[in-house]
Amino acid sequence: PVEVASAENILRPVEVASAETGAIAVACGYSHSLFLTKTGEVYSFGCNSRGQLGDGTTELRMSPVQVQTHMATAPVIAIAAGHSHSV
């Protein structure tokens, strides 16, 4: 993944994950984003003031962090994001 250098608004597309991750889906909330990999892993980044990134913190994440899904028996197959939540 590529780390964004600052928390400034970026008004152009930037690469946040390489093709090596095998991202198959993207979901965007108000100020956070998620992506799902072909192996069922979920990564999130952006604003986390309400814990919407699912990483157990409320820290701003400028680079993707893996979401702990607790779904050991089945991979995640879909993701969605709202104003300040993720599913």
Side-chain angles (χ1 to χ4, degrees):
V2 175
E3 185 171 340
V4 178
S6 72
E8 295 178 31
N9 288 334
I10 299 172
L11 302 177
R12 60 178 169 68
V14 295
E15 181 181 11
V16 293
S18 69
E20 296 170 7
T21 62
I24 59 169
V26 175
C28 299
Y30 180 72
S31 58
H32 72 290
S33 299
L34 314 164
F35 65 90
L36 173 65
T37 70
K38 61 186 173 186
T39 58
E41 296 171 319
V42 179
Y43 291 84
S44 60
F45 56 99
C47 181
N48 195 23
S49 59
R50 298 178 186 259
Q52 60 265 47
L53 299 185
D55 67 349
T57 75
T58 54
E59 294 178 29
L60 173 72
R61 301 291 185 177
M62 298 306 296
S63 295
V65 292
Q66 188 171 2
V67 175
Q68 300 303 313
T69 61
H70 306 289
M71 298 293 291
T73 58
V76 175
I77 59 171
I79 55 175
H83 186 273
S84 56
H85 66 278
S86 303
V87 288

